[in-house]
Amino acid sequence: SDLQWQYNNVSGSAGWANIPANTNPIHWSGATTATLQARPATTANNNTVLRVVVTAADQGVTATSANATLTVA
């Protein structure tokens, strides 16, 4: 299976984009793994909406997770 994390900064209304590794202002790591990390996460990233897309190409199946909202205190 292949994993790809996606983000949307406006609560799902601006469209989804794949999370690339090593981009500013956040360094995302694990964009194609089960665990996504954001460093540094600042209050500017508060309310970023995330989801993961899982694809089993050999079986022709794609599944998308429920949305999760990043909260930075």
Side-chain angles (χ1 to χ4, degrees):
S1 295
D2 294 317
L3 300 169
Q4 177 62 62
W5 285 92
Q6 297 181 326
Y7 73 98
N8 189 320
N9 282 329
V10 190
S11 300
S13 65
W16 291 96
N18 288 344
I19 293 178
N22 302 315
T23 53
N24 291 322
I26 297 179
H27 170 82
W28 296 101
S29 62
T32 58
T33 69
T35 303
L36 179 69
Q37 295 181 351
R39 295 186 186 136
T42 68
T43 54
N45 309 114
N46 201 37
N47 295 319
T48 298
V49 182
L50 302 164
R51 70 181 184 184
V52 66
V53 178
V54 182
T55 303
D58 59 334
Q59 298 176 16
V61 177
T62 299
T64 303
S65 72
N67 296 353
T69 302
L70 177 66
T71 301
V72 180

